Amino acid sequence: MKLYNTLTKQKEEFVPVHEGKVGMYVCGPTVYNYIHIGNARPMIVFDTVRRYFEYKGYDVNYVSNFTDVDDKIIKKANEEGVPASEISERFIAECKKDMEGLNIEPATHNPKATEEIDGMIAMISTLIEKGYAYEKNGTVYFRTRKFKNYGQLSKKNLDDMRAGIRIAVSDEKEDAMDFVLWKPKKEGEPAWVSPWGEGRPGWHIECSEMSKKYIGDTIDIHAGGEDLVFPHHENEIAQSEACNDEKFANYWMHNAFLNIDNKKMSKSAGNFFTVREISEKYPLQVIRFFMLSAHYRSPLNFSDTLVEASKNGLERILTAVDHLREVLTAAPEGELIAEDQKHMEEVTSLKEKYEAAMEDDFNTADAIAAIFELVKLANITAESGSKAYVQHLFDTIVQLCDILGIITEKKEELLDDDIEALIEERQAARKAKNFARADEIRDMLADKGIILEDTRAGVKWKRA
């Protein structure tokens, strides 16, 4: 199995630290709001990577954190007049709901930054003892110049970066490129007791400590969006390797950006969408399928036209699977005939094609192409095939879809009257300000392929 390593800028054969096991750390969201569609791409991509490793028999320890203390969380908490923990817990729950809709498997561990403060303080203390960090007036900084390999991941030169700084540098810093490990308490912010006074950790130290605790000093794969390469992942390497005297991660995987209608997603451009908003227009299974339709290292453009094309493609697969279910009930028992045997070999060949694509740096686009070839074969041969052949064809397509996180299980279709009744109940719940129940009904309908649209004339619905 080969994967592209951002650290070496080339594809490398995957060799785990421990035979038969994979330790994988994926940077999770900062939970101050609903996750946006850009957050969904790494979640879907690396969930699929995990699923394929599990399919190949690996025991995967998949760790993905929640950053639950951050300036944005504190700002929102102060605006609402509630504790920061109330904001973070609310949006952790909402994030998990969206992840379930995207069929993302629960992580082995979902550590929260606020529950790992002691470990971060211990790591910072070690860095100070070893001369890699220093404290000034309650702030602890990391000495980037002391870490000789700084810039190895991003391929940035420290002197060039320093020369490019145009903002005033705090007199406290020994060097403009030094970064914060611990910051002192400010009024209206949550804080923890430390040897340097009350305060809270810097962002970068969180992942260094949590990956060490839940996987080990050296992890197999560290993954995330390409926007994290610098400074976040670069700083993680510096902290972790300076503290542990071990290589931090053997393989670095980064997905490319998601654009909206060929433009960078931003609130100011009016093209910023949360997963929750998108789910009101498209089933989240369509979004997952769309995200996997391109190689994870290729920029992906999100547009209604492209998502509709993915929706139609997914429908082709699901229709073929449903047809195979029907054919199975009537297919004749008996031994494989010569024609069936020939088709079975085609199925095996296409499955190998799928696996070859996935083992070439997880090329899900080519893997999906192999599934479409299986669908075409099914449409041509299933009607005249024996039960054993049809069953094999059905099982293969379902299994390969499952690795991609695509649900092929047929859902019971709601009757129109049942849909109208649930919509009425949802409206009543919203009127009573029972928004949790209203969201639950909407999610239940979306799960059944019913898309709701709130208009001035009332709620309209359609089948996806």
Side-chain angles (χ1 to χ4, degrees):
M1 188 187 302
K2 290 185 182 293
L3 51 86
Y4 183 87
N5 190 348
T6 309
L7 186 66
T8 60
K9 301 293 185 188
Q10 62 186 11
K11 290 181 186 177
E12 298 176 7
E13 190 72 30
F14 177 73
V15 180
V17 174
H18 303 289
E19 189 175 351
K21 296 180 183 293
V22 176
M24 190 171 175
Y25 189 94
V26 181
C27 288
T30 300
V31 284
Y32 66 97
N33 208 331
Y34 295 100
I35 59 170
H36 57 73
I37 194 67
N39 297 137
R41 191 175 194 192
M43 290 177 175
I44 292 166
V45 164
F46 299 117
D47 175 68
T48 304
V49 170
R50 172 206 187 158
R51 286 169 179 268
Y52 190 76
F53 274 121
E54 290 174 339
Y55 163 71
K56 297 299 287 187
Y58 285 94
D59 177 12
V60 182
N61 179 11
Y62 188 93
V63 182
S64 187
N65 68 301
F66 287 117
T67 295
D68 61 342
V69 56
D70 177 86
D71 289 344
K72 291 176 181 176
I73 296 171
I74 294 166
K75 181 175 182 288
K76 193 173 187 72
N78 290 340
E79 287 171 353
E80 294 190 16
V82 298
S85 58
E86 185 174 321
I87 298 295
S88 59
E89 287 301 320
R90 179 197 309 167
F91 288 110
I92 285 173
E94 297 296 347
C95 177
K96 287 181 176 180
K97 192 182 294 184
D98 286 337
M99 289 170 74
E100 184 180 354
L102 292 164
N103 196 26
I104 292 165
E105 290 184 339
T108 314
H109 302 284
N110 266 140
K112 302 172 188 173
T114 57
E115 295 177 356
E116 309 294 341
I117 302 292
D118 288 347
M120 295 176 210
I121 290 173
M123 182 173 268
I124 295 168
S125 297
T126 299
L127 289 169
I128 291 174
E129 288 168 14
K130 296 174 81 169
Y132 282 99
Y134 58 97
E135 181 265 341
K136 287 285 181 72
N137 298 321
T139 301
V140 181
Y141 298 96
F142 184 89
R143 289 188 173 101
T144 51
R145 287 190 182 277
K146 185 172 176 62
F147 186 72
K148 301 304 181 187
N149 291 326
Y150 193 84
Q152 60 184 300
L153 183 69
S154 60
K155 307 297 184 275
K156 291 180 181 289
N157 179 278
L158 202 56
D159 289 323
D160 291 344
M161 286 188 284
R162 193 184 193 285
I165 293 177
R166 294 285 180 265
I167 59 172
V169 177
S170 167
D171 292 335
E172 291 182 343
K173 283 189 180 185
E174 294 177 356
D175 189 283
M177 292 307 299
D178 293 350
F179 59 87
V180 173
L181 299 173
W182 186 267
K183 57 184 76 174
K185 179 183 179 181
K186 291 181 181 176
E187 193 64 37
E189 293 187 354
W192 290 262
V193 175
S194 82
W196 320 288
E198 286 189 286
R200 59 187 172 97
W203 175 38
H204 312 300
I205 197 69
E206 296 176 14
C207 294
S208 284
E209 193 280 327
M210 289 186 273
S211 61
K212 175 184 173 72
K213 177 178 178 179
Y214 291 98
I215 301 177
D217 288 352
T218 301
I219 63 180
D220 290 298
I221 299 171
H222 198 315
E226 66 179 1
D227 56 314
L228 298 180
V229 173
F230 184 85
H232 186 49
H233 288 166
E234 194 72 72
N235 290 352
E236 280 188 64
I237 292 174
Q239 296 164 161
S240 295
E241 296 188 1
C243 178
N244 303 327
D245 295 317
E246 298 283 351
K247 186 175 182 180
F248 178 40
N250 285 334
Y251 306 91
W252 288 85
M253 298 180 71
H254 294 94
N255 64 276
F257 287 119
L258 176 78
N259 293 320
I260 309 292
D261 292 324
N262 292 309
K263 294 178 182 177
K264 184 178 179 181
M265 183 172 66
S266 71
K267 288 182 179 177
S268 60
N271 64 349
F272 182 93
F273 301 107
T274 65
V275 170
R276 194 62 57 87
E277 288 168 335
I278 294 294
S279 72
E280 295 176 0
K281 191 170 186 179
Y282 297 104
L284 290 182
Q285 277 288 285
V286 170
I287 300 305
R288 181 171 185 123
F289 188 74
F290 166 75
M291 293 285 190
L292 297 176
S293 65
H295 191 281
Y296 76 92
R297 286 192 291 114
S298 299
L300 182 59
N301 185 46
F302 186 99
S303 70
D304 285 339
T305 301
L306 293 172
V307 175
E308 284 293 341
S310 286
K311 181 181 174 183
N312 294 335
L314 178 59
E315 191 60 37
R316 276 177 58 202
I317 295 171
L318 300 183
T319 298
V321 171
D322 283 347
H323 182 59
L324 286 171
R325 279 195 190 92
E326 294 171 5
V327 171
L328 268 173
T329 61
E333 299 283 359
E335 295 182 6
L336 289 173
I337 58 175
E339 194 69 14
D340 279 350
Q341 191 64 51
K342 176 188 168 188
H343 295 323
M344 288 277 262
E345 290 169 6
E346 288 184 68
V347 173
T348 299
S349 175
L350 289 170
K351 186 175 182 180
E352 289 172 352
K353 186 176 180 179
Y354 173 100
E355 291 183 351
M358 292 297 282
E359 294 185 19
D360 181 15
D361 193 31
F362 300 95
N363 190 335
T364 54
D366 285 357
I368 288 172
I371 292 176
F372 278 127
E373 289 187 64
L374 281 166
V375 165
K376 183 179 178 181
L377 181 66
N379 291 340
I380 295 170
T381 63
E383 293 280 3
S384 58
S386 65
K387 198 177 193 72
Y389 165 64
V390 177
Q391 186 70 61
H392 179 64
L393 188 53
F394 173 83
D395 291 344
T396 301
I397 295 175
V398 168
Q399 181 184 48
L400 301 189
C401 284
D402 184 62
I403 294 167
L404 299 179
I406 301 303
I407 299 168
T408 53
E409 191 177 305
K410 192 171 185 178
K411 293 177 181 175
E412 185 180 343
E413 197 166 273
L414 289 171
L415 297 174
D416 287 5
D417 287 347
D418 294 330
I419 295 168
E420 295 288 356
L422 283 167
I423 289 173
E424 282 185 30
E425 185 185 344
R426 176 174 176 262
Q427 291 299 90
R430 292 175 75 180
K431 193 172 181 179
K433 298 191 182 301
N434 185 354
F435 299 114
R437 176 57 182 161
D439 286 349
E440 185 182 351
I441 293 169
R442 187 204 58 226
D443 292 344
M444 182 179 15
L445 288 168
D447 192 51
K448 297 288 186 183
I450 308 302
I451 308 298
L452 301 184
E453 184 182 357
D454 293 308
T455 71
R456 290 182 180 179
V459 181
K460 295 181 180 180
W461 63 271
K462 64 179 179 179
R463 296 185 190 276

